Amino acid sequence: TFNIQHGFVESLVRGMRNSFVSDSDYHHLTQCDTLEDCKLNLSESDYGNALQNDATLTPQDLQKAAIDKLAVEFQYLRSQSVAPLSTFLDFITHEYMIENIMMLLKGTMAGRDINELISQAHPLGMFKESTMRSVVAFESNAKGYADLYQCVLVDTPVGVYFSKFLQESSQNVGAAGEIRNVLEETEIEIIKASLMKYYLEDFYAFCSDLGGDTASVMCDILSVRADTQAINVTLNSFGTPLNEPSMRSTDRKRLYPAIGYLYPAGTNMLAAVSDEEGLGSVCNLYSSYAVAWSVHLENDERSIDDAFFERDTAMFELAFESQMHFGCFYAYVKLKEQEIRNLVWITECVMQKQKDSINNFIPIFSPHAPWRVKGGRR
């Protein structure tokens, strides 16, 4: 049944695995002295057509072209899919919708230009332009805030997450003034963390209900993502009101997803953490997070995010090692995101003449990757 309904689309995404930049391509890019050299080397890769119309190449141009290319590929896969795969692919886009809406709200409160904000939105999280403009153009009065609620919280696929957030933050979400107060008094990043929590929990429940290999692969991936959010929320709270004793077990704990390998024992311990030493003690109880924490403490050139990215890359590559599940679609998008980060990093190093740091990237499907050489998962 799986092959009848989804076999063609799965074969497409597995064929797209061959489009990733190879080790030899990365080697040639790291030897480049100018951005023109980088463009010439990329012309022989899968990005050749996407860059051919750019007279010059900048890291920003490369990033936009690569993201647009990923969006076109993803939308093609989506057009060939049927339920429940089509719903699964829609779930992938919800993360980018959240990012776009939060970027628009943050830009609006800072008084930035509407057209500039829309041009920076991620193509996988785009709404109709009228909806996008409604988000950034609401007026500073009761009707404007009611329109914001109506456009953002009701008429978008991620409206349910905003509704949950407002229900937890206010006893009267129907009052436009209350909505405004919630948005003004809560930092955008805290709102985003709340929305991502609801999204991860919702996506996890959907994948779990699908059952089979999709459930085992995706629930593992989403559990790790949930743990990463809990650790990052705790780390970033230090030096902020969220680390006040009265807020650790309330406001901060509410940002921890109710899924993952840390939940509930680990997240309960995180709720009591007040400094980096305490966070490290919790991370060291879990072998995979102990590795990431050691990078945070001991490595000046790599951050804990770099350690998480390296671990995630191994996890996403492994999703391609089994068949007849939806995990490879999610893994493909996330691996392409990592590849784009790699290319932007390399071109930034070339442009700034920082060749000493140019090799600090994470190759995709490399036989020389540390986790493959060790014969296990980090």
Side-chain angles (χ1 to χ4, degrees), residues 104-370:
L104 292 172
L105 288 175
K106 187 175 182 179
T108 298
M109 292 179 177
R112 293 177 58 190
D113 180 68
I114 294 174
N115 295 319
E116 178 189 357
L117 291 171
I118 292 178
S119 68
Q120 293 177 355
H122 197 291
L124 285 181
M126 293 293 285
F127 307 100
K128 292 184 296 186
E129 185 171 345
S130 59
T131 301
M132 302 282 282
R133 291 188 177 277
S134 296
V135 174
V136 299
F138 63 89
E139 300 175 359
S140 298
N141 55 43
K143 182 181 183 302
Y145 307 142
D147 290 342
L148 171 64
Y149 177 81
Q150 205 59 34
C151 291
V152 177
L153 306 182
V154 176
D155 293 340
T156 66
V158 294
V160 61
Y161 308 136
F162 281 85
S163 297
K164 286 182 179 179
F165 169 73
L166 290 174
Q167 286 168 5
E168 283 197 0
S169 303
S170 170
Q171 295 297 317
N172 186 14
V173 296
E178 285 293 323
I179 295 170
R180 178 64 175 184
N181 290 337
V182 169
L183 292 177
E184 283 186 336
E185 294 175 4
T186 310
E187 293 184 17
I188 292 294
E189 289 304 314
I190 295 178
I191 301 175
K192 182 179 177 181
S194 297
L195 300 178
M196 284 302 300
K197 168 195 170 179
Y198 302 133
Y199 162 72
L200 290 172
E201 291 171 351
D202 196 21
F203 199 3
Y204 184 97
F206 174 78
C207 293
S208 181
D209 288 343
L210 287 177
D213 288 345
T214 295
S216 61
V217 171
M218 282 304 302
C219 287
D220 178 39
I221 289 174
L222 294 173
S223 291
V224 172
R225 284 209 60 189
D227 290 350
T228 301
Q229 168 155 329
I231 292 171
N232 280 332
V233 163
T234 307
L235 181 61
N236 294 332
S237 73
F238 299 146
T240 73
L242 280 181
N243 197 37
E244 296 293 331
S246 61
M247 298 185 72
R248 291 173 196 156
S249 60
T250 55
D251 294 56
R252 191 174 75 185
K253 188 176 181 180
R254 279 198 290 267
L255 301 179
Y256 301 154
I259 58 171
Y261 299 116
L262 291 178
Y263 179 81
T267 51
N268 286 336
M269 288 187 286
L270 287 178
V273 164
S274 61
D275 52 30
E276 287 201 8
E277 183 179 354
L279 176 57
S281 298
V282 176
C283 289
N284 287 332
L285 297 175
Y286 300 83
S287 59
S288 58
Y289 304 125
V291 173
W293 188 251
S294 67
V295 170
H296 173 74
L297 292 179
E298 302 168 6
N299 199 311
D300 293 333
E301 295 185 354
R302 297 174 64 220
S303 67
I304 193 170
D305 287 334
D306 293 325
F308 285 148
F309 285 144
E310 185 174 323
R311 176 212 58 198
D312 291 349
T313 298
M315 186 167 56
F316 298 143
E317 289 180 16
L318 282 170
F320 277 85
E321 300 301 319
S322 55
Q323 296 180 332
M324 292 193 293
H325 64 82
F326 296 163
C328 55
F329 294 93
Y330 185 87
Y332 177 76
V333 173
K334 294 303 178 182
L335 287 173
K336 276 296 179 182
E337 281 188 346
Q338 181 60 53
E339 181 172 80
I340 293 169
R341 283 192 291 269
N342 291 345
L343 295 176
V344 170
W345 173 263
I346 291 172
T347 52
E348 288 277 7
C349 288
V350 170
M351 184 175 69
Q352 299 174 18
K353 309 296 183 185
Q354 299 289 332
K355 284 299 194 74
D356 291 343
S357 302
I358 201 169
N359 288 302
N360 292 342
F361 61 87
I362 304 169
I364 314 297
F365 291 116
S366 170
H368 308 296

Side-chain angles (χ1 to χ4, degrees), residues 4-18:
I4 294 172
Q5 294 181 326
H6 315 300
F8 172 66
V9 194
E10 185 187 20
S11 68
L12 288 176
V13 77
R14 291 186 180 280
M16 289 176 176
R17 171 175 172 167
N18 294 324

